[in-house]
Amino acid sequence: RLQELGLKLPTAPKPVAAYVPAVLHNGLLYISGQLPMVDGQLSCTGHVGQDVSLEAAQAAARTCTLNALAIAADVLGDLDRITQVIKVGGFVSSAASFTDHPKVINGCSELLGEIFGEAGKHARAAVGVSALPLGAAVEIEFVMAVAEA
């Protein structure tokens, strides 16, 4: 499906601190919070609604999602093993007056729907925060149900 959408998975990003990128446990894949990294560099920094436009933040959310899927592919060997996206936790570094956090994380949710169809529908949180690691504008974590290999 990625090819049909004209998308290519990036190289899975490396952790920026003391954690592992993902843990597979009892049929669930927990993917650590992903930043909008492109070739080892943050592609979107600052506060949404101040330094970063809504559209740029939505694109950053899509980048976070592709990074998470790259990690999933590394862990699982095949994205076809993902049977359901269970939950997405989205964090948006935002100006105090910015309240469109759900619209930012829609960049992720809509992409998951395009890729996985019904299996991409998920529970979700979209939270505004004062700062994120390395100055990132967006960070997203994931929980996915996985079929046995």
Side-chain angles (χ1 to χ4, degrees):
R1 182 76 182 123
L2 290 170
Q3 287 178 332
E4 291 174 23
L5 294 170
L7 300 171
K8 184 178 178 199
L9 290 182
T11 301
K14 304 292 183 215
V16 298
Y19 61 89
V20 294
V23 172
L24 180 59
H25 181 72
N26 289 337
L28 294 176
L29 181 63
Y30 297 84
I31 300 176
S32 296
Q34 294 302 301
L35 303 176
M37 302 293 272
V38 175
D39 297 326
Q41 302 294 319
L42 278 174
S43 64
C44 188
T45 60
H47 293 88
V48 182
Q50 180 178 314
D51 317 303
V52 178
S53 70
L54 174 61
E55 295 76 18
Q58 289 170 327
R62 290 176 64 91
T63 300
C64 294
T65 305
L66 291 173
N67 286 338
L69 293 177
I71 289 168
D74 278 1
V75 171
L76 302 173
D78 187 352
L79 291 181
D80 289 338
R81 288 184 57 201
I82 297 170
T83 59
Q84 182 69 50
V85 179
I86 303 290
K87 181 148 194 253
V88 166
F91 304 91
V92 180
S93 178
S94 55
S97 62
F98 184 79
T99 59
D100 281 337
H101 310 99
K103 290 181 182 176
V104 171
I105 306 305
N106 279 352
C108 165
S109 296
E110 291 168 0
L111 180 58
L112 290 170
E114 291 172 25
I115 293 169
F116 294 107
E118 284 296 310
K121 292 183 178 178
H122 52 272
R124 187 180 92 175
V127 179
V129 298
S130 61
L132 287 169
L134 307 176
V138 180
E139 180 175 5
I140 306 177
E141 63 182 2
F142 302 79
V143 179
M144 301 175 179
V146 175
E148 291 295 319

